[in-house]
Amino acid sequence: MTRSGPGRSITARFVAGEGLEEAVSVAKQLDRGRITTMLDHLGENVATVRQAGDARLAYLNALARISQEPGLDCAISVKLTQLGLDSSVQECLSNLYPILEAAGEASTFVMIDMESHPYVDGTLEVLAQAHGRFTTLGVCLQAYLRRTERDVFQLPPSVRVRLVKGAYLEPPDVVYHDKSDVDAAYARLFTTLLARGHRIDAATHDPALIEGVRRRVDATQNGWSRVEFQMLYGVRRDLQTELARQRYPLRVYVPYGTEWYPYLTRRLAERPANLWFFLSNAVRASK
Ligand code: FDA
């Protein structure tokens, strides 16, 4: 993919690059347009303790680099299966704790991505244990999962939550599959999180949901002190620019690294037009 022209163009649209410096350079560029960032060192489901240690090191390097840019508001986001969750909660925590300590030194925070549904219990357990020691840790919740409307009441008090629709192909008994049901669950969860005093990252590119969030937060006293919009690097850049222009708080999730394949596959699956764009360019390039 990265060696062919069409492959390079679609990868470059969604992934900042293979190296940390490319990600930092994207973060600085977005910062100039009043957009804050969150770096994701790509990778998931590592097979060995050593690979989990490599992922930890990559995050420690990212945090050391972020701390060299004092004016840059840049957090990080981690996938727990990259830090050893498949092995055990303890193994995962042993990799996560040094990252949380380094994030504190870099005056930033760490978010946990939510992966496919078999990992939800483990993820919430890691969150519960680690949040007791580090309040600079937050978690992503998926509105398409039926269980999320119960999970939301078990969260550590005031933990930061990133609310998304959900990106994995899941069996119908665990998720809502009609868009209208997912959107309604998203709106209900947002209301619950706001009422329960959480800090919320409204992570969506859906204009109707964004408008709903905007109306609700505008009507809440000091609402914008604990809500921000979040979007993915390369998705709806027009909307990103417009929200930033209107001075709404917006953070962009910036993935980088060599393990981009599963991430890219999810982005292609979300929007068939992306796949069509890739295939038509591939056919043109082969002529
Ligand atoms: P929806 O899919 O309805 O899209 C709304 C509009 O946005 C589309 O009509 C289109 O214009 C545009 N759009 C959306 N996706 C696009 C794409 N790939 N390419 C081009 N245009 C696109 N999921 C998860 O399961 N675990 C996680 O940890 C995270 N983390 C995360 C962080 C952040 C900051 C964001 C924004 C999203 C995630 N996600 C995620 C992904 C999320 O679950 C969801 O799959 C995507 O955000 C797409 O859903 P939307 O809410 O944008 O709505």
Side-chain angles (χ1 to χ4, degrees):
M1 285 280 282
T2 46
R3 268 181 251 124
S4 75
R8 234 189 344 264
S9 65
I10 194 105
T11 316
R13 179 175 159 197
F14 295 109
V15 176
E18 296 202 338
L20 174 60
E21 278 317 308
E22 286 155 296
V24 171
S25 147
V26 164
K28 286 174 154 176
Q29 191 190 323
L30 288 166
D31 179 68
R32 287 193 283 276
R34 308 181 61 88
I35 297 175
T36 60
T37 43
M38 179 167 46
L39 302 190
D40 164 40
H41 180 256
L42 291 162
E44 47 204 89
N45 292 107
V46 297
T48 64
V49 169
R50 185 172 172 177
Q51 285 173 330
D54 289 347
R56 176 181 70 191
L57 189 59
Y59 277 114
L60 294 177
N61 289 339
L63 287 162
R65 182 66 186 84
I66 289 168
S67 64
Q68 290 166 4
E69 302 287 341
L72 193 65
D73 181 345
C74 182
I76 63 163
S77 201
V78 299
K79 282 193 173 47
L80 296 187
T81 64
Q82 188 184 20
L83 297 176
L85 185 60
D86 281 314
S87 167
S88 71
V89 163
Q90 285 320 314
E91 162 81 22
C92 182
L93 281 168
S94 71
N95 286 310
L96 183 61
Y97 283 147
I99 295 174
L100 288 164
E101 270 158 25
E105 281 158 24
S107 307
T108 190
F109 62 95
V110 177
M111 293 301 291
I112 303 176
D113 286 0
M114 189 57 86
E115 300 177 64
S116 59
H117 82 276
Y119 293 111
V120 176
D121 282 334
T123 301
L124 295 179
E125 192 181 333
V126 168
L127 173 76
Q129 290 201 35
H131 192 262
R133 288 176 54 180
F134 297 92
T135 51
T136 48
L137 177 67
V139 73
C140 174
L141 293 182
Q142 298 154 324
Y144 70 174
L145 273 191
R146 296 172 192 270
R147 61 172 284 173
T148 302
E149 291 189 72
R150 295 188 304 279
D151 290 338
V152 83
F153 292 101
Q154 310 299 329
L155 293 170
S158 75
V159 69
R160 183 173 189 142
V161 176
R162 175 203 306 155
L163 188 59
V164 301
K165 287 193 186 181
Y168 295 80
L169 189 61
E170 298 281 16
D173 56 321
V174 300
V175 288
Y176 301 113
H177 35 94
D178 286 352
K179 176 177 162 46
S180 59
D181 291 336
V182 178
D183 292 356
Y186 193 104
R188 282 194 302 274
L189 285 162
F190 185 83
T191 305
T192 306
L193 289 164
L194 197 61
R196 290 175 68 80
H198 290 277
R199 200 179 187 314
I200 316 167
D201 302 330
T204 180
H205 318 90
D206 185 327
L209 289 182
I210 290 171
E211 188 49 34
V213 166
R214 198 170 4 197
R215 261 189 277 114
R216 201 165 286 272
V217 181
D218 279 346
T220 306
Q221 205 179 5
N222 297 325
W224 290 108
S225 64
R226 59 189 176 96
V227 177
E228 70 181 29
F229 288 116
Q230 290 190 351
M231 295 193 193
L232 299 174
Y233 178 66
V235 177
R236 291 299 311 260
R237 288 194 175 126
D238 55 335
L239 199 50
Q240 295 183 12
T241 309
E242 184 54 22
L243 283 175
R245 196 189 62 76
Q246 294 179 25
R247 308 272 163 125
Y248 282 102
L250 171 67
R251 188 176 300 272
V252 165
Y253 181 103
V254 179
Y256 70 99
T258 54
E259 303 292 316
W260 43 263
Y261 185 77
Y263 178 86
L264 188 66
T265 311
R266 288 193 288 276
R267 299 294 78 79
L268 294 179
E270 269 157 7
R271 197 159 156 73
N274 291 339
L275 197 55
W276 180 242
F277 169 80
F278 168 69
L279 289 174
S280 53
N281 276 288
V283 169
R284 218 172 300 136
S286 69
K287 281 183 179 165

